[in-house]
């Protein structure tokens, strides 16, 4: 059995277990893993995207969850459960804010699970697709960690890509997987446009001081 074949459980159930026992206290990724239990890296990736999809900031989440998603993505591509270093597993996060985010994420999960179903399964099965989809999750994690936290949608776009890829693989919904690839492409184009705008602005400023 492959790591991406484990899940028939819903994202709502995983979120509910993640919320249990937080009670406003600081929480670590190790705590979340213990609450989710042995329910697969894909489901964990989906849960970790939720803080980036809602307008509530949780300090430290971008680094911890981003690195964890990258390592989990490599594990999915290799069809192995990855090792996560202690510095990631035991980094304390604001439990009160994280709990609020996860609770609001339940509404998003409910909407998604109304439409997700088995379809276009060719892009969710087989060793090659498993590797490609796992590496796509890695790419989403890298984009998620770009230091652009103040730029609108810079975290949201790659988070949706990871969410669609991980849930699509877990629930055998190829349409969601393809949507994940589309969101990755949109993210790359968006970041490229930001880079172009920054370079153009820099050149404009330089020309203002040198043209005189």
């Amino acid at each position: 059995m492959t790591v991406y074949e484990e899940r028939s459980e819903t994202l709502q159930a995983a979120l509910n277990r993640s919320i249990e026992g937080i009670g406003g206290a600081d929480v670590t990724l190790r705590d979340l893993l213990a609450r989710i239990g042995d329910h697969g890296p894909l489901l964990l990736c989906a849960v970790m995207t939720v803080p980036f999809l809602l307008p509530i900031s949780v300090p430290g989440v971008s680094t911890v969850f981003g690195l964890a998603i990258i390592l989990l993505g490599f594990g999915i591509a290799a069809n192995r459960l990855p090792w996560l270093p202690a510095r990631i597993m035991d980094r304390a996060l604001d439990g009160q804010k994280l709990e609020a985010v996860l609770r609001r994420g339940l509404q998003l999960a409910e909407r998604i699970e109304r439409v997700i179903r088995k379809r276009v399964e060719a892009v969710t099965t087989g060793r090659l697709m498993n590797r490609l989809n796992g590496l796509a999750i890695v790419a989403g994690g890298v984009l998620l960690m770009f230091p652009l936290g103040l730029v609108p949608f810079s975290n949201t776009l790659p988070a949706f890509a990871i969410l669609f890829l991980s849930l699509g693989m877990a629930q055998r919904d190829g349409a969601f997987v393809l949507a994940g690839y589309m969101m990755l492409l949109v993210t790359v184009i968006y970041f490229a446009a930001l880079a172009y705008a920054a370079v153009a602005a820099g050149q404009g400023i330089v020309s203002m001081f040198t043209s005189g």
Side-chain angles (χ1 to χ4, degrees):
M1 182 172 65
T2 61
V3 295
Y4 65 93
E5 286 178 330
E6 297 177 6
R7 280 294 46 80
S8 59
E9 189 189 37
T10 67
L11 178 58
Q12 289 185 75
L15 284 171
N16 275 317
R17 274 201 313 279
S18 301
I19 293 166
E20 290 175 3
I22 293 180
D26 285 350
V27 66
T28 66
L29 183 56
R30 192 182 301 278
D31 297 329
L32 291 179
L33 276 170
R35 293 187 181 105
I36 292 174
D38 186 19
H39 288 275
L42 290 167
L43 204 56
L44 180 58
C45 283
V47 169
M48 287 191 294
T49 64
V50 173
F52 308 103
L53 305 177
L54 300 169
I56 302 177
S57 175
V58 183
V61 161
S62 179
T63 301
V64 174
F65 284 9
L67 283 172
I69 287 169
I70 290 171
L71 294 174
L72 287 167
F74 278 122
I76 292 164
N79 193 30
R80 296 180 181 177
L81 293 175
W83 168 78
L84 298 176
R87 63 181 298 181
I88 296 177
M89 295 285 284
D90 297 324
R91 173 83 173 269
L93 303 170
D94 188 321
Q96 185 174 6
K97 290 184 177 179
L98 184 60
E99 181 180 3
V101 168
L102 295 179
R103 288 192 183 281
R104 291 185 62 180
L106 288 169
Q107 300 174 359
L108 175 64
E110 183 181 1
R111 295 192 190 104
I112 289 174
E113 285 162 359
R114 287 175 185 167
V115 297
I116 197 167
R117 62 182 185 275
K118 287 187 178 182
R119 53 189 164 180
V120 199
E121 294 184 52
V123 297
T124 69
T125 57
R127 183 175 297 179
L128 176 60
M129 291 311 305
N130 182 50
R131 289 181 177 176
L132 290 176
N133 295 338
L135 292 175
I137 290 175
V138 172
V142 171
L143 293 170
L144 190 66
M145 291 187 65
F146 268 42
L148 300 172
L150 298 178
V151 178
F153 308 115
S154 60
N155 288 143
T156 305
L157 293 176
F160 267 117
I162 297 164
L163 178 67
F164 291 155
L165 285 162
S166 56
L167 287 183
M169 292 177 70
Q171 302 293 341
R172 289 288 189 271
D173 191 334
F176 262 62
V177 172
L178 294 174
Y181 280 102
M182 181 61 68
M183 291 304 297
L184 278 181
L185 178 60
V186 170
T187 303
V188 170
I189 293 172
Y190 182 57
F191 283 10
L194 290 175
Y196 177 81
V199 170
Q203 290 176 341
I205 293 173
V206 171
S207 65
M208 287 175 58
F209 287 99
T210 58
S211 60

